[in-house]
Amino acid sequence: MLYPLLRPALFLIDAERAHRLTIDALKLLPHGGPARPGALATEVAGIAFPNPLGMAPGFDKDAEVPDAVLGLGFGFTEIGTVTPLAQPGNPQPRLFRLQEDRAVINRMGFNNGGLAAARARLAKRKRVGVVAANVGANKESTDRIADYLAGIAAFRDLASYITVNISSPNTPGLRDLQGDKELNDLLSAIAAERQAGDPPVFLKVAPDLDEAAPARIVEAAIKHGIAAIIVSNTTITRPQGFSALKSRHAGEAGGLSGAPLRDLAQARLRDFHAVARGAIPLVGVGGIATAEDAWARIRAGASLVQVYSAMVYEGPGLARQITRGLEQLMRRDGFTRIADAVGSE
């Protein structure tokens, strides 16, 4: 309730510094336990989620506050993206609020403290609640497949699931791993290294894909035992015409998220659902800011949904606001379980 009053002052601070202050505040403030299973409880990839709303990676890059995030009412949270070696990321400034557009542009470049530091923090948890790890490759890596295997090895005994992120636009060449041969080589190597008892592996893809991409990505994911596909990351495209960005930061390079991404991410999810036909679960992310947005994504085929940029504008009460609304919408439309609503539009 206080966030709308605090937001103008917070927005006077550089976006990256404000984010750092938010993480520090979450460390200090008391928080309750994770959300309890209720009407929105669902199961995906063998994992029991108390509700289908998650915090997307990028917020808690270094696993500093996963339990505090769960305490805000999220059904799960995904830390990272974490790379094998610590790296500073791209030069600052690299994070921009587009207030008039309710959007964010970032070109962070996988800035993080590395696998060892994140693993040490997760190892100290009591492991209550669903906490996933998102892993990537170092910018200067000469063997990106080895980087992903290192990430999976680091978190295999600590994460509820592990996301292989090949969709960031801010690491040169990373999205090339979405190509047919490159993707199959990566997923084949992951499958060969998996051990009994390992957590499920999710695959995160970009929204900027050609028409044929969803079918071949779904085929490769199923072939190599990927448990779910996350659709999607930020976009390097920009809306045109009537929907063109209005902020003075509109020309900044990087990935665009927030409200302008919503329709593109929704359309891409539909594309994946049309070819997956329930054979592999989908996670919807991109431009979700309200319960109606989340419900539309579920009806379009998402078993789970994630938010991040909307937190910048709506504040820490967003998760409970969305989950309350989701329960009302589910009942309004005659569903008793989230799973029954998936892909029902």
Side-chain angles (χ1 to χ4, degrees):
M1 293 175 64
L2 292 175
Y3 188 74
L5 300 176
L6 297 174
R7 185 172 55 202
L10 195 61
F11 277 20
L12 293 174
I13 304 172
D14 169 78
E16 190 167 348
R17 184 179 172 216
H19 180 260
R20 182 66 254 169
L21 291 173
T22 300
I23 296 295
D24 290 341
L26 285 173
K27 289 181 179 180
L28 296 173
L29 294 174
H31 57 82
R36 295 180 180 180
L40 296 178
T42 191
E43 183 175 313
V44 178
I47 303 167
F49 293 84
N51 68 61
L53 180 68
M55 173 65 85
F59 180 80
D60 186 15
K61 284 179 174 288
D62 289 306
E64 297 179 80
V65 290
D67 295 299
V69 172
L70 293 178
L72 295 175
F74 287 96
F76 62 107
T77 186
E78 193 171 317
I79 65 100
T81 298
V82 187
T83 56
L85 302 177
Q87 60 182 25
N90 293 322
Q92 298 179 353
R94 54 193 179 182
L95 182 64
F96 306 90
R97 306 183 195 92
L98 284 67
Q99 296 184 46
E100 298 88 341
D101 307 295
R102 298 186 74 78
V104 172
I105 290 176
N106 93 82
R107 50 174 181 266
M108 304 299 287
F110 284 173
N111 59 305
N112 73 102
L115 289 176
R119 176 180 165 77
R121 292 189 184 97
L122 288 185
K124 294 177 181 178
R125 295 185 62 244
K126 295 181 180 179
R127 300 191 66 185
V128 177
V130 180
V131 176
N134 183 299
V135 299
N138 280 112
K139 181 178 180 179
E140 304 298 334
S141 174
T142 58
D143 188 345
R144 286 181 168 168
I145 289 179
D147 282 11
Y148 286 103
L149 296 180
I152 291 171
F155 295 120
R156 65 179 4 131
D157 60 334
L158 296 173
S160 301
Y161 68 83
I162 299 172
T163 295
V164 172
N165 183 0
I166 57 172
S167 54
S168 170
N170 300 315
T171 296
L174 190 77
R175 286 188 171 188
D176 293 346
L177 291 171
Q178 296 175 133
D180 190 21
K181 180 182 183 304
E182 294 83 357
L183 180 61
N184 275 281
D185 287 348
L186 172 63
L187 299 188
S188 176
I190 290 171
E193 290 292 320
R194 284 178 58 74
Q195 301 175 5
D198 275 3
V201 174
F202 291 13
L203 178 69
K204 185 164 186 172
V205 300
D208 311 316
L209 298 168
D210 61 52
E211 187 176 343
R216 63 175 180 75
I217 290 173
V218 166
E219 180 182 6
I222 294 172
K223 176 182 177 182
H224 296 295
I226 295 300
I229 300 174
I230 302 176
V231 188
S232 59
N233 211 315
T234 59
T235 180
I236 57 173
T237 66
R238 300 292 185 262
Q240 303 297 318
F242 180 78
S243 300
L245 300 175
K246 302 173 179 62
S247 169
R248 64 187 177 90
H249 296 304
E252 294 289 348
L256 173 69
S257 60
L261 177 57
R262 182 185 62 190
D263 292 347
L264 174 61
Q266 178 90 351
R268 195 60 67 242
L269 178 74
R270 288 194 179 105
D271 293 340
F272 273 86
H273 180 65
V275 296
R277 296 182 178 274
I280 186 170
L282 304 174
V283 181
V285 58
I288 296 172
T290 66
E292 289 76 14
D293 293 338
W295 186 235
R297 213 64 60 96
I298 290 168
R299 296 289 299 268
S303 296
L304 303 168
V305 294
Q306 292 177 311
V307 299
Y308 175 13
S309 295
M311 284 277 290
V312 174
Y313 297 99
E314 302 299 331
L318 179 65
R320 290 192 172 90
Q321 176 184 328
I322 289 179
T323 52
R324 283 196 300 266
L326 272 178
E327 188 168 347
Q328 294 170 0
L329 291 167
M330 183 177 70
R331 290 173 173 165
R332 180 200 69 184
D333 291 347
F335 295 98
T336 57
R337 300 189 313 155
I338 285 292
D340 294 334
V342 173
S344 62
E345 69 174 9

